[in-house]
Amino acid sequence: RLYFLARDGYLMYRAALVFCGRYHLPIDCRYVSCSRYSLRLPLFHLDHKMALDFVCRGGIGVTLQKILARAALTEEEQRTVIEELSFSLDPDEPILASKLPQIRERLSGCGQFLTFMDRHSREALPGLAGYLRQEGFLEEIPDAVVDSGWVGSMQKTLGRALAYLGRGQRLEGYYWGLYEVPSDAERGEYHCYYFAPEGQLREKVYFNNCVFEAIVTAPHGMTLGYRKEGERYVPWYGEVTDEKKAFLWKTEACLLKYIECLAAEPDGWKADRSERAVVGRLLGTFLSCPEKEEAEAFGNLPFSDDVLEGGEQPIAAHLTEEELAANHALPKLLSRSGFRAKTARESAWYEGSAVLYGKRVRRHLRQYALYQYLRFWRKRGR
């Protein structure tokens, strides 16, 4: 059994159904509605360290309001916590990454915050438990999850939740790509397709997981939790604009037409290396050096890298020439993280921003690629 995790696993799930039907593969494919938020919130009261790490994580445009919302606090509860801790920050003011540890420390000692968070966590646990049991995760059958990947945290969190519910067997996962795996994970339980933590440097440099997530996704909102309706547990989704739905339906139709043609060929699902290489080059060119028409067509897709929806911005943000230059500058690489240095406003799709708004496009793309090579090389060395 393969569990395709929402929302990045949606189109993979649709493709898998086509292949399994065409080749009569003995695989039970299931689509599971979940998100980092819907899986972690129910566990917050069991592990405050994990909870604080999650709610105080970095990102593009992190604010105090976003941090408190990640813990499921209502607007009134947020005001209570802000007043108790006498935060001088405006709730909607972007926070520097260097300030997040201080906020984490203050929240860890705030009784009101922990009380609110724990209450919402306990309220969410029965819904998650019921949904996972309903979907068969506690049945003794060979299974694995399928997802886009990146750092493998979903598999770890889901495995932890299932262990709490009594599952004995460990969970395995299959991914489009992984930059890394959790430090305490069994590496053999994480299987990669396009790139793995140990190699494929070029594939990582000329890839953009934000654009991938904006395009390869489901035509519904993120999973916020689970409700019981009658005898079944159903996911509770966030909102998606009609414009985004129309784009995703069009993308799905195009992809499935290709998949059906591929499945019609003898052994088409076993795409040979030459075909995969062509697809890889096309993908890398589109993501790392788009034509202006491509950047215009996809650059306005709404995107947020936060764990909750809201506050989406165009994926190719409008950056000035100075901001474009600062995003591949040496000080950014030499920062402690080497990844999230807040030297300038960032774009989820830097290359799209450079093509749309840069005056020295080729130089920006060349310098950013070099910056990415050095960043991944440094990360691999560590």
Side-chain angles (χ1 to χ4, degrees):
R1 180 181 296 164
L2 292 178
Y3 293 104
F4 294 79
L5 304 184
R7 291 176 284 175
D8 298 359
Y10 173 76
L11 290 175
M12 302 177 194
Y13 165 72
R14 295 298 309 276
L17 290 179
V18 173
F19 288 128
C20 288
R22 172 67 177 80
Y23 295 104
H24 309 291
L25 303 178
I27 300 174
D28 176 12
C29 298
R30 300 189 179 187
Y31 181 66
V32 176
S33 294
C34 61
S35 67
R36 291 176 291 176
Y37 178 77
S38 72
L39 292 179
R40 295 205 185 200
L41 174 62
L43 306 179
F44 281 175
H45 69 283
L46 302 175
D47 187 341
H48 283 173
K49 180 182 182 303
M50 177 271 289
L52 288 165
D53 287 343
F54 183 76
V55 301
C56 296
R57 63 192 293 134
I60 298 174
V62 175
T63 65
L64 188 56
Q65 185 276 328
K66 283 185 177 182
I67 289 174
L68 297 177
R70 291 169 179 173
L73 271 64
T74 65
E75 291 184 5
E76 183 178 349
E77 290 168 345
Q78 291 177 29
R79 287 193 293 270
T80 299
V81 171
I82 291 172
E83 290 173 5
E84 179 175 329
L85 295 179
S86 301
F87 280 118
S88 57
L89 289 168
D90 185 285
D92 297 317
E93 178 186 343
I95 301 173
L96 293 173
S98 59
K99 300 293 184 183
L100 291 175
Q102 300 174 26
I103 292 176
R104 184 191 188 285
E105 182 65 25
R106 296 188 67 184
L107 289 176
S108 68
C110 179
Q112 280 280 48
F113 169 76
L114 296 176
T115 297
F116 292 145
M117 181 179 71
D118 283 357
R119 183 171 71 227
H120 292 299
S121 176
R122 289 190 175 92
E123 290 171 351
L125 183 56
L128 174 63
Y131 181 74
L132 294 179
R133 287 193 182 98
Q134 170 185 287
E135 296 306 309
F137 277 101
L138 298 184
E139 297 172 6
E140 293 186 1
I141 185 172
D143 64 4
V145 297
V146 183
D147 198 5
S148 52
W150 320 148
V151 296
S153 61
M154 286 282 282
Q155 179 179 332
K156 178 180 178 179
T157 304
L158 181 55
R160 183 174 184 176
L162 291 171
Y164 177 77
L165 296 177
R167 175 178 165 123
Q169 68 191 81
R170 293 179 65 87
L171 196 62
E172 292 195 48
Y174 289 83
Y175 299 97
W176 173 263
L178 285 172
Y179 296 106
E180 58 186 82
V181 297
S183 58
D184 55 348
E186 287 289 337
R187 179 65 182 86
E189 296 172 353
Y190 292 76
H191 310 282
C192 309
Y193 170 72
Y194 190 54
F195 58 83
E198 299 81 14
Q200 289 84 43
L201 188 60
R202 180 181 177 82
E203 285 79 2
K204 293 172 186 170
V205 169
Y206 296 111
F207 182 74
N208 185 302
N209 57 296
C210 299
V211 183
F212 186 95
E213 290 179 15
I215 297 174
V216 183
T217 189
H220 61 71
M222 73 168 286
T223 307
L224 298 174
Y226 309 92
R227 296 169 174 162
K228 190 172 186 181
E229 295 184 359
E231 297 301 313
R232 290 190 61 78
Y233 288 89
V234 297
W236 162 34
Y237 295 132
E239 296 294 324
V240 175
T241 65
D242 290 339
E243 184 180 13
K244 183 66 181 290
K245 284 181 183 178
F247 168 83
L248 295 175
W249 285 332
K250 183 177 180 180
T251 302
E252 181 178 348
C254 292
L255 177 65
L256 289 181
K257 185 178 293 186
Y258 167 76
I259 292 297
E260 287 163 359
C261 289
L262 188 63
E265 298 180 7
D267 290 332
W269 66 293
K270 299 178 182 178
D272 62 30
R273 290 187 177 184
S274 61
E275 183 173 357
R276 288 169 59 176
V278 170
V279 172
R281 287 198 298 272
L282 288 172
L283 181 66
T285 302
F286 164 60
L287 294 176
S288 65
C289 188
E291 298 290 339
K292 189 165 186 180
E293 292 81 3
E294 292 174 325
E296 289 172 342
F298 293 92
N300 281 321
L301 285 175
F303 180 80
S304 170
D305 70 343
D306 198 66
V307 296
L308 284 173
E309 291 180 323
E312 285 80 3
Q313 300 292 326
I315 197 164
H318 192 156
L319 301 183
T320 66
E321 189 71 11
E322 292 74 20
E323 288 171 332
L324 287 167
N327 270 273
H328 54 66
L330 185 61
K332 183 180 173 86
L333 184 68
L334 296 179
S335 68
R336 185 176 180 183
S337 67
F339 183 57
R340 278 288 182 195
K342 294 295 183 180
T343 54
R345 196 163 63 94
E346 295 179 304
S347 171
W349 188 19
Y350 175 88
E351 295 88 344
S353 296
V355 169
L356 290 175
Y357 309 113
K359 296 178 181 178
R360 298 173 292 175
V361 176
R362 289 183 180 276
R363 182 178 185 276
H364 287 312
L365 294 179
R366 184 171 60 250
Q367 291 293 103
Y368 191 70
L370 176 60
Y371 160 72
Q372 291 284 68
Y373 265 114
L374 292 172
R375 181 171 74 85
F376 283 118
W377 175 78
R378 180 187 182 196
K379 194 176 187 71
R380 186 169 64 180
R382 285 204 303 268

